[in-house]
Amino acid sequence: MNNTDSAKKTAVAGLMTALALIFSYIEVLIPFNFGIPGIKLGIANLVVIIAMYRLGYRYAFGINIVRVFVAGLLFSGLFGALYSLAGALMSFAAMVLVKKAKVFSVTGVSIAGGVAHNLGQILVAAVLVENIRIFVYFPVLIFSGVASGAIIGITAYFILKRIPEPDRRR
């Protein structure tokens, strides 16, 4: 990859980070209330998945981490950022592993990320409240992770079909 390609990828990553922050803000403004506290659609993860497939893991990770910290500072405070960071790290790790297995579709990768995100958040909650019984809530979070992951994954699939793959011949 030459310097021009690197500069283009960095510029695109900056724009995608801004878009992910906008999506985070939209979720704050218009909370998707499913009747269960803490459940969100996770539309900012749409940007991370697209970046993973079009820019690579390193750029996607950077977009994810910058979004979590900035959104945490702006919208949810320290504890919200801590929960979000745990979820983002677990989600990203799961998505990378599932994507590298080359067995699952974009939707499968997204579902793995949704479930892992909820696992990361419930692990942090269990540590902070010092009570393992909080895992009673995990089956609900698994279901919500699968549902939101499927919605985001299907959306990402259709978006990725319209975005050309980078030229890898160089």
Side-chain angles (χ1 to χ4, degrees), residues 36-39 82-88 90 114-142 144:
I36 303 166
I39 292 179
L82 182 62
Y83 282 109
S84 188
L85 180 62
M90 291 278 292
V115 172
H117 186 275
N118 289 342
L119 175 61
Q121 288 191 326
I122 203 159
L123 285 170
V124 168
V127 168
L128 289 178
V129 299
E130 298 177 353
N131 190 341
I132 197 86
R133 284 188 268 169
I134 199 161
F135 276 94
V136 165
Y137 189 50
F138 192 53
V140 172
L141 293 178
I142 290 174
S144 73

Side-chain angles (χ1 to χ4, degrees), residues 21 24 34 38 43 71 88 115 122-123 155 163:
L21 279 167
S24 293
F34 297 104
I43 55 177
V115 172
I122 203 159
L123 285 170
T155 305
I163 299 173

Side-chain angles (χ1 to χ4, degrees), residues 31-98:
F32 300 99
N33 187 352
F34 297 104
I36 303 166
I39 292 179
K40 295 190 311 183
L41 190 53
I43 55 177
N45 201 44
L46 178 63
V47 177
V48 174
I49 291 170
I50 291 168
M52 186 180 289
Y53 278 86
R54 289 299 183 260
L55 299 178
Y57 298 122
R58 188 179 73 167
Y59 286 96
F61 183 77
I63 291 166
N64 205 13
I65 295 304
V66 169
R67 179 202 55 89
V68 166
F69 280 116
V70 174
L73 290 172
L74 292 174
F75 312 132
S76 62
L78 180 62
F79 283 108
L82 182 62
Y83 282 109
S84 188
L85 180 62
L89 292 174
M90 291 278 292
S91 173
F92 194 80
M95 289 190 300
V96 167
L97 290 172
V98 170

